[in-house]
Amino acid sequence: MKNTQTIAELLEKVNSTYLTDAEKYEAIARAERAEYIIAGFASAFQAIKNVAIKVKSAFVSTSAQHA
């Protein structure tokens, strides 16, 4: 099982004493935004892959019936 953490959780562990609170919150917000964007792309890719598999199986089963 993977032990995954969000980028925001990892950023909390970084020494950020040299950053202002606003800069720290901005970095966390940007990291969370990037995670949501990547999750959206991954979800879209998975949906396209599932459709491709269904289309492929539909073509394979119909051509096999005619053989």
Side-chain angles (χ1 to χ4, degrees), residues 36-58:
Y36 286 121
I37 290 171
I38 296 299
F41 282 132
S43 177
F45 178 75
Q46 187 63 40
I48 292 169
K49 182 179 172 185
N50 290 342
V51 168
I53 289 171
K54 286 180 184 178
V55 168
K56 181 181 175 185
S57 67

Side-chain angles (χ1 to χ4, degrees), residues 22-41:
E23 290 171 330
K24 184 177 176 181
Y25 295 137
E26 181 181 359
I28 291 171
R30 287 177 185 252
E32 289 174 345
R33 178 178 176 261
E35 284 181 349
Y36 286 121
I37 290 171
I38 296 299
F41 282 132

Side-chain angles (χ1 to χ4, degrees), residues 3 7 15 18-19 21 27 31-32 37 39 45 48 52 56 61:
N3 183 12
I7 296 174
N15 180 9
Y18 60 92
L19 295 174
D21 284 341
E32 289 174 345
I37 290 171
F45 178 75
I48 292 169
K56 181 181 175 185
S61 65

